[in-house]
Amino acid sequence: MELLNSLFRPGVGPQAFTPEATIQALLDVEAALARAEADVGVILPATAEAIAAHCRVERIDLPRLAADAAQAGNLAIPLVRQLTALVAADDAVAAGFVHWGATSQDILDTALVLQLRRALAGIAADLDSLIELCAERCAQHRGEIMAGRTWLQQAPPITLGLKLASLLDALLRQRERLRQLRPRLLTLQLGGAVGTLAALAPHGLAVMEQMARRLDLAAPDLPWHSQRDRLAELACWSALLCGTLGKLGRDVSLSAQTEIAELREPEQPGRGGSSSMPHKRNPVACAVMLAAAARAPGLAATLLTALVQEQERGLGGWQAEWETLPDLLCLSAGALRQAEELLRGLVVDSDAMRRNLEASRGLIMAEAVTMALGQRLGHARAHLLVAECCEQVRRQGSRLADALLGHPELISLLNEDALHTLLDPDKNLGAADALIERVLRHYREQTDG
């Protein structure tokens, strides 16, 4: 629904796929086809320019085009009909060379690639911004200690910097994947009826090369009418990105729960309100990222299913791509914008993090104690005895230090000062800082490179 574009699809995505942008992309391909044919002598340069002069979306009757597409089965057929009529009004001879030697899928596929290039330029820029911001916040909160959590339960301590470094690491992989797939994706489609370029013989390959040059696209080794892996690869990348951002949304929303209150979305007037509960501040950005992550796998699956196309031209599978891939790209772009807004204004409550570290009365450090005792008792025995002490803490509401020091088998093995160090979260962060530095170094190398 267009009414929800500002929520789910902010950014460049919808702009690349408006009706006007779609038709202009189709016309750009038709103009490039005519000019490429003139480049190699298939038609006269004056004929090509007569065609190109009318390849402007404002000259097309869009409502009539949409109605005619319902009968024709695609947009290209009625568009070529309108374009031919426009050219014929000025040059009847040139009108006979509109769409010369091409098939509808050539025009539709290449136009889609042009739109994807436009959308990906914006998405790549937003991804770069998010990565830069994530690196800044990672460095800013590098030593900010908090409880790690596994299966939604407290586990040994980590730092907020490490949590953000994990996100940064995933985003860096996403950027690298995008850089790798772009050259494969941004490829011309031109093959004629069955991919042999027979209608343009003996100039077919030359026209293809010139057309690719004019559109600044790669010329394929051969047409890809029924080999759709390029588009499916982009769909999978988009789903991976949405999943990565959904993970961010999930973690922040869990940390924003009233009982935890460690992280919150940016505070803005009217943001996250409730129609019935005046006190509410709902995590809007998290909701959008999670919604995109929920929808993206199904949309990507449609593109994967569409890979199985019939012979030299798909029936149904090709058509299934038309709305699905743009929608997926728009959702990805929207989730990126929301993620950037979230990270830029993320509210971090250090006091709540420290308070939650103390909530387990020392149980959060049970692993550190077990590993220290395991050097003298063996891991299995140490694990059993520390587990007994943990159960006592849960049952009696005492502290782990008291339970350990009161255990008849452990009291002789525990030095009170050493135990204090083992139970200090700040002194049991392992290689967290070194791991953060590894990711930040990778960020600097990838960004500078």
Side-chain angles (χ1 to χ4, degrees):
M1 292 176 59
E2 291 187 12
L3 288 173
L4 294 175
N5 275 352
S6 61
L7 176 64
F8 290 112
R9 303 172 185 84
V12 72
Q15 300 167 20
F17 299 105
T18 64
E20 292 78 10
T22 297
I23 299 309
Q24 188 58 62
L26 291 165
L27 292 169
D28 289 344
V29 177
E30 289 287 357
L33 172 65
R35 286 171 169 151
E37 290 171 341
D39 290 338
V40 301
V42 174
I43 63 177
L44 294 174
T47 298
E49 292 310 311
I51 294 170
H54 292 279
C55 289
R56 294 163 54 184
V57 65
E58 61 269 20
R59 299 190 177 184
I60 301 299
D61 184 340
L62 295 185
R64 181 160 64 91
L65 179 67
D68 291 346
Q71 298 298 318
N74 65 57
L75 289 169
I77 293 171
L79 179 64
V80 169
R81 190 181 304 129
Q82 284 197 38
L83 178 58
T84 301
L86 289 169
V87 175
D90 290 336
D91 188 333
V93 174
F97 291 96
V98 172
H99 196 65
W100 186 258
T103 192
S104 296
Q105 189 167 357
D106 293 329
I107 307 304
L108 288 163
D109 279 353
T110 302
L112 176 60
V113 170
L114 295 181
Q115 291 178 275
L116 293 175
R117 178 171 64 188
R118 178 182 174 186
L120 286 177
I123 288 173
D126 285 348
L127 181 56
D128 286 343
S129 296
L130 180 61
I131 286 172
E132 181 179 358
L133 180 59
C134 188
E136 291 174 1
R137 299 304 302 255
C138 177
Q140 178 185 355
H141 299 289
R142 189 166 182 162
E144 196 106 44
I145 191 168
M146 65 187 300
R149 292 178 173 90
T150 62
W151 286 40
L152 301 178
Q153 307 295 307
Q154 282 200 358
I158 61 170
T159 64
L160 179 55
L162 184 65
K163 184 179 284 287
L164 291 170
S166 176
L167 171 63
L168 176 60
D169 195 33
L171 292 173
L172 290 173
R173 289 193 296 275
Q174 286 301 102
R175 182 161 68 179
E176 185 60 28
R177 290 186 184 106
L178 180 58
R179 288 175 176 173
Q180 291 169 352
L181 73 84
R182 279 173 65 95
R184 291 189 289 271
L185 175 71
L186 301 182
T187 301
L188 178 79
Q189 174 79 282
L190 182 67
V194 290
T196 63
L197 292 165
L200 290 169
H203 304 289
L205 291 176
V207 171
M208 182 175 70
E209 293 288 344
Q210 287 300 313
M211 190 175 172
R213 179 186 64 81
R214 285 187 169 276
L215 292 172
D216 195 23
L217 297 174
D221 288 337
L222 75 167
W224 44 278
H225 292 132
S226 58
Q227 297 291 349
R228 315 301 288 176
D229 56 285
R230 290 175 172 89
L231 302 184
E233 183 180 17
L234 176 61
C236 290
W237 178 84
S238 298
L240 284 172
L241 177 62
C242 287
T244 297
L245 300 177
K247 156 73 171 164
L248 170 63
R250 183 77 76 201
D251 283 356
V252 171
S253 59
L254 287 172
S255 297
Q257 292 179 99
T258 305
E259 295 80 2
I260 299 176
E262 295 175 350
L263 304 173
R264 296 196 307 276
E265 288 198 3
E267 299 180 6
Q268 298 174 4
R271 183 183 181 92
S274 166
S275 62
S276 60
M277 294 170 283
H279 71 284
K280 292 291 293 294
R281 278 182 47 209
N282 294 316
V284 175
C286 293
V288 171
M289 290 185 285
L290 288 166
R295 291 191 61 194
L299 295 171
T302 298
L303 272 291
L304 292 171
T305 303
L307 285 169
V308 185
Q309 303 216 355
E310 297 79 14
Q311 299 166 332
E312 281 64 58
R313 192 70 55 82
L315 178 66
W318 174 43
Q319 290 78 2
E321 300 167 352
W322 296 348
E323 294 182 309
T324 305
L325 189 54
D327 196 19
L328 182 50
L329 263 288
C330 290
L331 286 173
S332 302
L336 264 176
R337 284 289 175 92
Q338 293 283 4
E340 184 177 355
E341 185 175 348
L342 168 63
L343 272 191
R344 191 175 303 282
L346 184 66
V347 179
V348 178
D349 191 331
S350 302
D351 292 338
M353 289 180 178
R354 181 63 63 174
R355 185 170 60 250
N356 290 334
L357 280 171
E358 301 297 328
S360 71
R361 301 184 301 281
L363 293 181
I364 194 171
M365 302 309 303
E367 181 193 47
V369 176
T370 300
M371 297 305 294
L373 289 172
Q375 297 178 26
R376 301 181 65 177
L377 298 175
H379 183 271
R381 182 62 181 167
H383 188 283
L384 177 64
L385 296 179
V386 173
E388 291 177 357
C389 292
C390 291
E391 181 57 31
Q392 179 183 331
V393 170
R394 283 189 288 265
R395 188 172 58 251
Q396 298 179 359
S398 57
R399 301 190 63 82
L400 182 58
D402 297 331
L404 291 167
L405 291 172
H407 193 286
E409 188 172 343
L410 296 180
I411 190 170
S412 62
L413 302 175
L414 291 170
N415 175 285
E416 193 164 348
D417 290 336
L419 180 60
H420 178 75
T421 299
L422 289 173
L423 294 177
D424 186 349
D426 295 279
K427 296 177 181 177
N428 289 276
L429 293 171
D433 196 66
L435 293 168
I436 293 170
E437 181 55 36
R438 286 164 68 95
V439 176
L440 289 175
R441 184 169 62 248
H442 184 199
Y443 157 73
R444 291 188 290 267
E445 291 171 351
Q446 190 184 99
T447 303
D448 296 341

Short mmCIF file of all heavy atoms in Angstrom, two decimals, residues 28-29 31-37 39-40 110 113-114 117 186-190 204-221 224:
data_model
loop_
_atom_site.label_atom_id
_atom_site.label_comp_id
_atom_site.label_asym_id
_atom_site.label_seq_id
_atom_site.Cartn_x
_atom_site.Cartn_y
_atom_site.Cartn_z
N ASP A 28 14.06 4.26 -22.26
CA ASP A 28 15.52 4.41 -22.37
C ASP A 28 16.13 3.22 -23.10
O ASP A 28 17.08 3.37 -23.88
CB ASP A 28 16.13 4.53 -20.98
CG ASP A 28 15.82 5.87 -20.31
OD1 ASP A 28 15.39 6.80 -21.01
OD2 ASP A 28 16.00 5.96 -19.07
N VAL A 29 15.59 2.04 -22.84
CA VAL A 29 16.09 0.84 -23.52
C VAL A 29 15.75 0.89 -25.01
O VAL A 29 16.59 0.56 -25.87
CB VAL A 29 15.52 -0.43 -22.87
CG1 VAL A 29 15.99 -1.68 -23.62
CG2 VAL A 29 15.95 -0.52 -21.40
N ALA A 31 15.32 3.56 -26.82
CA ALA A 31 16.19 4.57 -27.43
C ALA A 31 17.60 4.02 -27.62
O ALA A 31 18.23 4.23 -28.68
CB ALA A 31 16.22 5.82 -26.57
N ALA A 32 18.11 3.31 -26.63
CA ALA A 32 19.45 2.75 -26.74
C ALA A 32 19.51 1.69 -27.83
O ALA A 32 20.51 1.57 -28.56
CB ALA A 32 19.87 2.14 -25.40
N LEU A 33 18.44 0.90 -27.98
CA LEU A 33 18.38 -0.10 -29.05
C LEU A 33 18.48 0.57 -30.42
O LEU A 33 19.28 0.15 -31.27
CB LEU A 33 17.08 -0.89 -28.93
CG LEU A 33 16.76 -1.85 -30.08
CD1 LEU A 33 17.79 -2.98 -30.17
CD2 LEU A 33 15.35 -2.42 -29.93
N ALA A 34 17.68 1.61 -30.62
CA ALA A 34 17.70 2.29 -31.91
C ALA A 34 19.06 2.90 -32.20
O ALA A 34 19.61 2.78 -33.32
CB ALA A 34 16.62 3.37 -31.94
N ARG A 35 19.65 3.55 -31.23
CA ARG A 35 20.95 4.19 -31.44
C ARG A 35 22.05 3.17 -31.65
O ARG A 35 22.98 3.39 -32.44
CB ARG A 35 21.26 5.11 -30.26
CG ARG A 35 20.44 6.39 -30.29
CD ARG A 35 20.58 7.20 -29.03
NE ARG A 35 19.99 8.54 -29.17
CZ ARG A 35 19.49 9.24 -28.18
NH1 ARG A 35 19.46 8.73 -26.94
NH2 ARG A 35 18.97 10.44 -28.39
N ALA A 36 21.98 2.03 -30.94
CA ALA A 36 22.97 0.98 -31.15
C ALA A 36 22.88 0.41 -32.55
O ALA A 36 23.89 0.10 -33.19
CB ALA A 36 22.77 -0.13 -30.11
N GLU A 37 21.65 0.26 -33.05
CA GLU A 37 21.46 -0.23 -34.42
C GLU A 37 22.01 0.78 -35.44
O GLU A 37 22.58 0.39 -36.47
CB GLU A 37 19.99 -0.51 -34.66
CG GLU A 37 19.51 -1.73 -33.87
CD GLU A 37 18.00 -1.93 -33.89
OE1 GLU A 37 17.26 -0.96 -34.19
OE2 GLU A 37 17.56 -3.06 -33.58
N ASP A 39 24.53 2.74 -34.76
CA ASP A 39 25.98 2.68 -34.61
C ASP A 39 26.62 1.66 -35.55
O ASP A 39 27.75 1.86 -36.03
CB ASP A 39 26.35 2.30 -33.16
CG ASP A 39 26.04 3.40 -32.17
OD1 ASP A 39 25.95 4.57 -32.58
OD2 ASP A 39 25.90 3.08 -30.97
N VAL A 40 25.91 0.55 -35.82
CA VAL A 40 26.51 -0.53 -36.63
C VAL A 40 25.89 -0.60 -38.02
O VAL A 40 26.14 -1.57 -38.75
CB VAL A 40 26.39 -1.88 -35.90
CG1 VAL A 40 27.08 -1.83 -34.54
CG2 VAL A 40 24.94 -2.30 -35.73
N THR A 110 15.93 -5.58 -19.47
CA THR A 110 16.97 -4.55 -19.42
C THR A 110 16.48 -3.33 -18.66
O THR A 110 17.24 -2.72 -17.88
CB THR A 110 17.42 -4.17 -20.84
OG1 THR A 110 17.89 -5.34 -21.52
CG2 THR A 110 18.54 -3.14 -20.80
N VAL A 113 16.81 -4.03 -15.03
CA VAL A 113 18.20 -3.90 -14.60
C VAL A 113 18.55 -2.43 -14.37
O VAL A 113 19.25 -2.08 -13.40
CB VAL A 113 19.15 -4.56 -15.62
CG1 VAL A 113 20.60 -4.22 -15.31
CG2 VAL A 113 18.97 -6.07 -15.62
N LEU A 114 18.10 -1.55 -15.25
CA LEU A 114 18.35 -0.12 -15.06
C LEU A 114 17.72 0.38 -13.77
O LEU A 114 18.33 1.17 -13.03
CB LEU A 114 17.80 0.67 -16.25
CG LEU A 114 18.44 0.43 -17.62
CD1 LEU A 114 17.78 1.31 -18.67
CD2 LEU A 114 19.94 0.67 -17.58
N ARG A 117 19.70 -0.91 -10.83
CA ARG A 117 20.95 -0.15 -10.66
C ARG A 117 20.68 1.14 -9.89
O ARG A 117 21.44 1.50 -8.99
CB ARG A 117 21.57 0.15 -12.02
CG ARG A 117 22.85 0.98 -11.91
CD ARG A 117 23.56 1.09 -13.24
NE ARG A 117 22.78 1.81 -14.23
CZ ARG A 117 23.14 1.89 -15.52
NH1 ARG A 117 24.23 1.29 -15.96
NH2 ARG A 117 22.38 2.57 -16.37
N LEU A 186 24.22 -6.32 -13.35
CA LEU A 186 24.05 -5.18 -14.25
C LEU A 186 24.47 -5.56 -15.66
O LEU A 186 25.51 -5.13 -16.18
CB LEU A 186 24.84 -3.98 -13.73
CG LEU A 186 24.43 -3.52 -12.32
CD1 LEU A 186 25.23 -2.31 -11.89
CD2 LEU A 186 22.93 -3.26 -12.23
N THR A 187 23.64 -6.39 -16.27
CA THR A 187 23.93 -7.01 -17.56
C THR A 187 22.75 -6.81 -18.51
O THR A 187 21.60 -7.01 -18.15
CB THR A 187 24.20 -8.52 -17.37
OG1 THR A 187 25.30 -8.69 -16.47
CG2 THR A 187 24.54 -9.19 -18.69
N LEU A 188 23.09 -6.42 -19.73
CA LEU A 188 22.09 -6.22 -20.77
C LEU A 188 21.36 -7.51 -21.11
O LEU A 188 21.93 -8.60 -21.02
CB LEU A 188 22.78 -5.69 -22.03
CG LEU A 188 21.91 -5.45 -23.26
CD1 LEU A 188 21.16 -4.14 -23.13
CD2 LEU A 188 22.75 -5.48 -24.53
N GLN A 189 20.09 -7.36 -21.51
CA GLN A 189 19.35 -8.47 -22.11
C GLN A 189 19.00 -8.09 -23.55
O GLN A 189 18.33 -7.08 -23.79
CB GLN A 189 18.06 -8.72 -21.33
CG GLN A 189 17.12 -9.76 -21.96
CD GLN A 189 17.58 -11.17 -21.68
OE1 GLN A 189 18.52 -11.67 -22.31
NE2 GLN A 189 16.97 -11.81 -20.71
N LEU A 190 19.49 -8.86 -24.51
CA LEU A 190 19.10 -8.69 -25.91
C LEU A 190 19.34 -10.01 -26.62
O LEU A 190 20.47 -10.47 -26.72
CB LEU A 190 19.92 -7.58 -26.60
CG LEU A 190 19.52 -7.32 -28.05
CD1 LEU A 190 18.10 -6.74 -28.14
CD2 LEU A 190 20.53 -6.40 -28.75
N GLY A 204 23.83 -8.82 -35.03
CA GLY A 204 23.28 -8.99 -33.69
C GLY A 204 24.27 -8.76 -32.57
O GLY A 204 23.99 -8.00 -31.62
N LEU A 205 25.42 -9.39 -32.66
CA LEU A 205 26.40 -9.24 -31.59
C LEU A 205 26.92 -7.81 -31.50
O LEU A 205 27.13 -7.28 -30.40
CB LEU A 205 27.56 -10.21 -31.78
CG LEU A 205 27.22 -11.70 -31.58
CD1 LEU A 205 28.43 -12.57 -31.90
CD2 LEU A 205 26.77 -11.94 -30.14
N ALA A 206 27.10 -7.18 -32.65
CA ALA A 206 27.57 -5.79 -32.65
C ALA A 206 26.53 -4.87 -32.03
O ALA A 206 26.88 -3.94 -31.27
CB ALA A 206 27.89 -5.36 -34.08
N VAL A 207 25.26 -5.08 -32.35
CA VAL A 207 24.20 -4.28 -31.73
C VAL A 207 24.20 -4.49 -30.22
O VAL A 207 24.07 -3.53 -29.44
CB VAL A 207 22.83 -4.63 -32.34
CG1 VAL A 207 21.70 -3.95 -31.55
CG2 VAL A 207 22.77 -4.21 -33.80
N MET A 208 24.34 -5.73 -29.78
CA MET A 208 24.35 -6.01 -28.36
C MET A 208 25.49 -5.28 -27.66
O MET A 208 25.29 -4.67 -26.59
CB MET A 208 24.48 -7.52 -28.13
CG MET A 208 24.45 -7.93 -26.67
SD MET A 208 24.45 -9.74 -26.44
CE MET A 208 26.14 -10.11 -26.96
N GLU A 209 26.67 -5.30 -28.24
CA GLU A 209 27.81 -4.63 -27.63
C GLU A 209 27.59 -3.12 -27.56
O GLU A 209 27.87 -2.49 -26.53
CB GLU A 209 29.09 -4.94 -28.42
CG GLU A 209 29.54 -6.39 -28.37
CD GLU A 209 30.11 -6.79 -27.02
OE1 GLU A 209 30.44 -5.89 -26.22
OE2 GLU A 209 30.23 -8.01 -26.76
N GLN A 210 27.08 -2.53 -28.63
CA GLN A 210 26.86 -1.10 -28.64
C GLN A 210 25.74 -0.68 -27.70
O GLN A 210 25.81 0.36 -27.03
CB GLN A 210 26.55 -0.63 -30.07
CG GLN A 210 27.74 -0.63 -31.01
CD GLN A 210 28.86 0.27 -30.51
OE1 GLN A 210 28.63 1.41 -30.12
NE2 GLN A 210 30.08 -0.23 -30.52
N MET A 211 24.71 -1.49 -27.64
CA MET A 211 23.60 -1.19 -26.74
C MET A 211 24.06 -1.25 -25.28
O MET A 211 23.70 -0.39 -24.46
CB MET A 211 22.47 -2.18 -27.00
CG MET A 211 21.16 -1.83 -26.29
SD MET A 211 19.87 -3.01 -26.80
CE MET A 211 18.55 -2.54 -25.69
N ALA A 212 24.86 -2.25 -24.95
CA ALA A 212 25.40 -2.35 -23.60
C ALA A 212 26.28 -1.14 -23.27
O ALA A 212 26.21 -0.58 -22.17
CB ALA A 212 26.21 -3.64 -23.46
N ARG A 213 27.08 -0.71 -24.24
CA ARG A 213 27.94 0.45 -24.02
C ARG A 213 27.10 1.69 -23.75
O ARG A 213 27.40 2.47 -22.84
CB ARG A 213 28.84 0.66 -25.24
CG ARG A 213 29.78 1.87 -25.14
CD ARG A 213 30.53 2.10 -26.43
NE ARG A 213 29.64 2.45 -27.53
CZ ARG A 213 29.14 3.68 -27.73
NH1 ARG A 213 29.43 4.66 -26.88
NH2 ARG A 213 28.35 3.91 -28.76
N ARG A 214 26.07 1.89 -24.54
CA ARG A 214 25.23 3.08 -24.39
C ARG A 214 24.49 3.10 -23.04
O ARG A 214 24.25 4.17 -22.48
CB ARG A 214 24.24 3.18 -25.54
CG ARG A 214 24.90 3.64 -26.86
CD ARG A 214 23.87 3.89 -27.94
NE ARG A 214 24.46 4.58 -29.09
CZ ARG A 214 24.63 5.89 -29.19
NH1 ARG A 214 24.24 6.68 -28.19
NH2 ARG A 214 25.16 6.43 -30.26
N LEU A 215 24.14 1.95 -22.54
CA LEU A 215 23.43 1.88 -21.26
C LEU A 215 24.37 1.67 -20.08
O LEU A 215 23.91 1.58 -18.92
CB LEU A 215 22.39 0.74 -21.30
CG LEU A 215 21.22 0.97 -22.25
CD1 LEU A 215 20.38 -0.31 -22.37
CD2 LEU A 215 20.35 2.14 -21.80
N ASP A 216 25.66 1.59 -20.36
CA ASP A 216 26.67 1.35 -19.33
C ASP A 216 26.37 0.06 -18.55
O ASP A 216 26.41 0.01 -17.33
CB ASP A 216 26.76 2.53 -18.36
CG ASP A 216 28.01 2.48 -17.50
OD1 ASP A 216 29.00 1.83 -17.91
OD2 ASP A 216 28.01 3.08 -16.39
N LEU A 217 26.05 -0.99 -19.30
CA LEU A 217 25.81 -2.31 -18.74
C LEU A 217 26.81 -3.29 -19.34
O LEU A 217 27.42 -3.01 -20.39
CB LEU A 217 24.39 -2.80 -19.06
CG LEU A 217 23.24 -1.98 -18.47
CD1 LEU A 217 21.90 -2.51 -18.99
CD2 LEU A 217 23.27 -2.01 -16.94
N ALA A 218 26.98 -4.42 -18.69
CA ALA A 218 27.82 -5.47 -19.26
C ALA A 218 27.08 -6.17 -20.40
O ALA A 218 25.85 -6.33 -20.34
CB ALA A 218 28.18 -6.49 -18.19
N ALA A 219 27.83 -6.55 -21.43
CA ALA A 219 27.25 -7.36 -22.51
C ALA A 219 27.40 -8.82 -22.12
O ALA A 219 28.51 -9.28 -21.84
CB ALA A 219 27.97 -7.08 -23.83
N PRO A 220 26.32 -9.59 -22.08
CA PRO A 220 26.41 -10.99 -21.65
C PRO A 220 27.06 -11.85 -22.73
O PRO A 220 27.10 -11.48 -23.91
CB PRO A 220 24.94 -11.38 -21.45
CG PRO A 220 24.21 -10.55 -22.45
CD PRO A 220 24.94 -9.23 -22.50
N ASP A 221 27.55 -13.00 -22.32
CA ASP A 221 28.06 -13.94 -23.31
C ASP A 221 26.94 -14.43 -24.21
O ASP A 221 27.15 -14.70 -25.39
CB ASP A 221 28.73 -15.14 -22.62
CG ASP A 221 30.06 -14.75 -21.98
OD1 ASP A 221 30.65 -13.74 -22.42
OD2 ASP A 221 30.48 -15.43 -21.04
N TRP A 224 19.93 -14.15 -21.48
CA TRP A 224 19.61 -14.89 -20.26
C TRP A 224 18.10 -14.92 -20.01
O TRP A 224 17.65 -14.97 -18.86
CB TRP A 224 20.33 -14.29 -19.06
CG TRP A 224 20.33 -12.78 -18.95
CD1 TRP A 224 21.16 -11.92 -19.60
CD2 TRP A 224 19.47 -11.97 -18.13
NE1 TRP A 224 20.88 -10.61 -19.24
CE2 TRP A 224 19.85 -10.61 -18.34
CE3 TRP A 224 18.42 -12.25 -17.25
CZ2 TRP A 224 19.21 -9.54 -17.70
CZ3 TRP A 224 17.79 -11.19 -16.61
CH2 TRP A 224 18.18 -9.86 -16.84
#
